[in-house]
Amino acid sequence: MAVNMKGKSLIEINHLSLEEIYQIFDLSKTLKEKLITGEPHKLLEGKTLGMIFSKPSTRTRISFEAGIYQLGGMGMYFNQNDLQLKKSESVSDTAKVLSRYLNGIMIRTFDHQDVIDLAKFGSIPVINGLTDLHHPCQVLTDLFTVLEKRRVLKGLKLVYIGDGNNMAHSLLHGCSKVGMDITIASPSGYMPLKEIVEESKVNAKYMGSKIEITEDPVKAVSGADIIYTDVWASMGQEKEAAERRKKFIQYQVNKELVKNAKDDYIFMHCLPAHRGDEVTDEICDSPNSVIFDEAENRLHVQKAIMALVM
Ligand code: CP
Ligand code: NVA
């Protein structure tokens, strides 16, 4: 039976039930097929999505904007610098005002609390398009992409190599929710937040899957169905890039490292990739790589999310 998600905000994956996650995947598949066959699917005719960005974006901005248009609605882009938000107006007042104009808000920003507050004080759904803590739209898309490739999620092993950042956090939540084993290999001092690991362990226990956190990328990759990586310095950490490069050098996904994975492992990256740092060209462009399918699927999955919550 369909779960009613109308009005629901997407702040982090852990706020979604397994039924809601699969409902998003089912609708993503339908909308992808309709787009390919040219069948109209204007599920959000006349609706408006406000898109607030305080960090750069290629995939998130363009896939949300194209997506809302394909659904019959309209996207409005705002650079946070152009808004009164957090300068001369509180998040709560902005949330209340935007709720009088729009049908939904997508926001990419630094402080995760701002997304929580927008949803709390506004009366329209808020979709997290990346914060320092989480990137739920990306990970829902990644899981949908794995489902397309493997037909099943439960029981697969995903290994994330690199910084314990927003991607690691959302992957922990996402994989544990759907019963995938997840191993995170990060250098000491760059591990994912303990609180998020603990929340994911609760999910994993319920689903009968495993979570492993290690400093050893070689051991981690053993038996991997999916190898995932992300940049060593995220947006906002550019000044730390040189120092991080030294600490992360053994965490590069390259030909040597992937030898320990299953032969038919899938390589994933949320992009943008810093080729030559966290991953080599050879891996990015190998037949195992699905990085551009992931990027494409952002469109279909976010259309499903918007159609369900707006
Ligand atoms: N993966 C991702 O969110 O890409 P952008 O930063 O280009 O939006
Ligand atoms: N961890 C990266 C993800 C980019 C999609 C960042 O926050 O910059």
Side-chain angles (χ1 to χ4, degrees):
M1 213 182 69
V3 195
N4 184 5
M5 294 176 68
K6 200 163 188 293
K8 185 168 177 134
S9 288
L10 174 57
I11 297 171
E12 55 175 82
I13 293 182
N14 234 30
H15 296 165
L16 296 176
S17 68
L18 193 59
E19 291 70 28
E20 288 173 331
I21 292 174
Y22 276 95
Q23 179 160 270
I24 292 169
F25 293 163
D26 287 346
L27 185 57
S28 305
K29 184 170 182 282
T30 305
L31 293 178
K32 185 170 181 173
E33 283 162 5
K34 284 189 196 286
L35 187 70
I36 291 167
T37 57
E39 214 181 304
H41 49 281
K42 296 198 183 302
L43 303 177
L44 293 178
E45 194 122 47
K47 301 266 166 99
T48 309
L49 177 79
M51 309 191 308
I52 304 171
F53 284 86
S54 52
K55 291 177 176 178
S57 169
T58 296
R59 280 143 289 270
T60 305
R61 175 176 177 184
I62 297 172
S63 55
F64 265 106
E65 198 160 335
I68 184 77
Y69 176 74
Q70 290 170 9
L71 289 168
M74 187 184 80
M76 294 169 81
Y77 170 85
F78 307 103
N79 183 321
Q80 194 171 330
N81 295 332
D82 299 333
L83 301 177
Q84 308 283 15
L85 180 59
K86 291 198 91 178
K87 291 192 287 284
S88 53
E89 192 166 50
S90 66
V91 175
S92 62
D93 280 359
T94 300
K96 286 170 192 159
V97 171
L98 296 186
S99 298
R100 304 272 178 128
Y101 303 136
L102 305 168
N103 305 102
I105 299 170
M106 181 258 113
I107 178 165
R108 163 168 291 195
T109 193
F110 294 87
D111 190 351
H112 191 70
Q113 189 61 42
D114 290 348
V115 181
I116 296 173
D117 289 344
L118 261 187
K120 181 172 159 194
F121 295 105
S123 54
I124 54 175
V126 174
I127 301 172
N128 178 357
L130 182 146
T131 61
D132 287 347
L133 213 57
H134 287 291
H135 198 0
C137 293
Q138 178 68 52
V139 169
L140 286 168
T141 302
D142 298 333
L143 295 176
F144 175 73
T145 306
V146 175
L147 193 59
E148 281 187 327
K149 306 286 173 195
R150 289 287 187 267
R151 308 272 159 222
V152 68
L153 295 176
K154 196 166 169 10
L156 296 178
K157 175 180 175 179
L158 182 144
V159 178
Y160 173 89
I161 310 278
D163 189 21
N165 59 15
N166 44 12
M167 282 308 308
H169 293 154
S170 289
L171 283 165
L172 275 163
H173 276 167
C175 291
S176 60
K177 273 269 172 187
V178 300
M180 279 165 72
D181 294 342
I182 173 163
T183 300
I184 305 273
S186 309
S188 160
Y190 298 90
M191 293 285 177
L193 284 182
K194 278 209 173 71
E195 181 191 316
I196 291 168
V197 174
E198 289 312 312
E199 287 167 359
S200 305
K201 281 186 178 163
V202 174
N203 298 338
K205 191 168 176 206
Y206 181 74
M207 292 301 288
S209 60
K210 281 190 283 229
I211 293 187
E212 205 186 329
I213 311 290
T214 175
E215 284 180 39
D216 186 343
V218 178
K219 257 206 223 150
V221 159
S222 167
D225 295 289
I226 300 129
I227 299 178
Y228 204 116
T229 191
D230 183 20
V231 291
W232 293 335
S234 285
M235 290 179 273
Q237 299 172 331
E238 290 80 4
K239 285 196 182 119
E240 298 171 32
E243 184 198 336
R244 282 172 169 262
R245 190 169 289 122
K246 285 187 221 145
K247 294 189 174 144
F248 280 86
I249 201 73
Q250 278 163 14
Y251 292 79
Q252 185 186 66
V253 178
N254 54 35
K255 221 173 149 188
E256 192 53 36
L257 185 71
V258 304
K259 274 185 188 158
N260 301 303
K262 287 188 180 160
D263 287 343
D264 65 345
Y265 82 92
I266 296 173
F267 173 70
M268 302 186 96
H269 193 309
C270 52
L271 304 180
H274 295 170
R275 290 166 177 250
D277 278 352
E278 75 273 7
V279 62
T280 57
D281 281 335
E282 210 170 15
I283 298 297
C284 266
D285 302 325
S286 72
N288 299 69
S289 171
V290 300
I291 57 176
F292 299 113
D293 296 329
E294 287 174 85
E296 179 195 328
N297 282 336
R298 292 289 301 276
L299 175 69
H300 312 301
V301 172
Q302 290 161 187
K303 279 167 74 181
I305 294 167
M306 288 190 281
L308 288 165
V309 304
M310 282 170 66

